[in-house]
Amino acid sequence: MKQVIRKHSWILNLGARYVPKHGVHFLVWAPRAKTLAIEIIRGLSEPARFEMKKDRDGYFSASVSQAKPGDRYYYCFNQDKKRPDPVSRFQPDGVHGPSEIVDPHAFRWTDGRWKGIAHDDLIFYELHIGTFTPEGTFDAAVKRLPHLKKLGITCVEVMPVAQFPGRRNWGYDGVGLYAVQNSYGGPAAFKRFVDACHKQGLAVCLDVVYNHLGP
């Protein structure tokens, strides 16, 4: 009997998950909070607040049909305290600012034919986005990829990009483990960088830190 292999895309359920035509589903674990609400910010208009429901395991959830990618939001707990999403996808104003709703499927990749690099052919270059160029951004780094190619590099190892406090940092005290650093350009810029690396024939490896956090 022929075996059928099905490909499954992993979905991050926590945080703000955009569901086309249905709005955004929010899910956060806050077992010690008595009440929790989402405050959505759109431009200069008044913020809109939506109450969340708590289950017996301490997870608060809510589906907001009016919410959309690009909206910013806080979690408001115990009536008056506001905090960004601990599973934020983007912190455009830094670690203490509001989180931004992101559609992870909005980016149009051009690397459909990318097959990777054989292990025996991997030559790593450890790259710190913040210091690799004067601008310290993913888009600026893209312009210098041909230089790495000429050096004989086959794999770019990007130092941690999880959201950290400030604009420059080694990346080892990240705060938002799912949010790409705003001063580097955020998640869309990171995708452009990876796409450009593959276009140059360069593999990408990401350095991550999961065992400790910043403020």
Side-chain angles (χ1 to χ4, degrees):
M1 180 181 294
K2 183 178 180 180
Q3 182 180 10
V4 178
I5 300 177
R6 301 183 186 278
K7 294 183 178 180
H8 296 281
S9 296
W10 179 76
I11 296 175
L12 178 61
N13 287 321
L14 286 166
R17 182 164 60 89
Y18 174 59
V19 183
K21 299 181 180 180
H22 295 281
V24 178
H25 182 72
F26 296 87
L27 180 65
V28 62
W29 188 59
R32 296 183 181 180
K34 295 179 180 178
T35 62
L36 200 64
I38 308 155
E39 183 174 279
I40 297 180
I41 306 165
R42 291 197 182 102
L44 299 177
S45 62
E46 288 295 322
R49 182 171 291 202
F50 301 88
E51 297 298 324
M52 306 181 75
K53 293 182 179 180
K54 185 179 184 180
D55 68 15
R56 62 182 182 181
D57 295 320
Y59 287 92
F60 284 83
S61 64
S63 292
V64 182
S65 61
Q66 303 95 317
K68 63 185 186 303
D71 288 347
R72 298 182 182 184
Y73 66 99
Y74 280 111
Y75 285 128
C76 305
F77 61 99
N78 299 346
Q79 302 302 325
D80 59 346
K81 295 182 179 180
K82 296 182 181 180
R83 295 290 186 274
D85 191 341
V87 193
S88 169
R89 272 73 159 178
F90 187 28
Q91 290 295 120
D93 298 322
V95 295
H96 299 297
S99 304
E100 183 171 310
I101 299 170
V102 172
D103 177 7
H105 302 294
F107 186 79
R108 296 291 179 253
W109 295 93
T110 65
D111 63 351
R113 296 185 178 182
W114 171 253
K115 300 299 182 183
I117 303 291
H119 286 182
D120 292 344
D121 295 327
L122 289 173
I123 301 174
F124 287 84
Y125 181 94
E126 188 175 30
L127 189 153
H128 184 274
I129 293 296
T131 58
F132 186 59
T133 65
E135 298 88 347
T137 64
F138 288 112
D139 289 334
V142 166
K143 300 175 183 178
R144 298 186 62 180
L145 292 179
H147 172 68
L148 297 182
K149 185 74 173 179
K150 289 181 180 179
L151 287 177
I153 302 302
T154 62
C155 183
V156 178
E157 180 184 351
V158 182
M159 293 184 69
V161 299
Q163 184 72 42
F164 53 74
R167 296 184 58 81
R168 296 291 184 272
N169 191 297
W170 286 112
Y172 291 102
D173 61 344
V175 178
L177 298 184
Y178 298 89
V180 178
Q181 176 66 16
N182 64 320
S183 61
Y184 291 172
F190 191 17
K191 291 179 180 181
R192 289 195 295 270
F193 176 81
V194 173
D195 207 42
C197 283
H198 290 169
K199 188 174 182 179
Q200 291 283 341
L202 298 168
V204 180
C205 175
L206 179 62
D207 190 355
V208 295
V209 179
Y210 294 137
N211 61 336
H212 56 86
L213 300 169

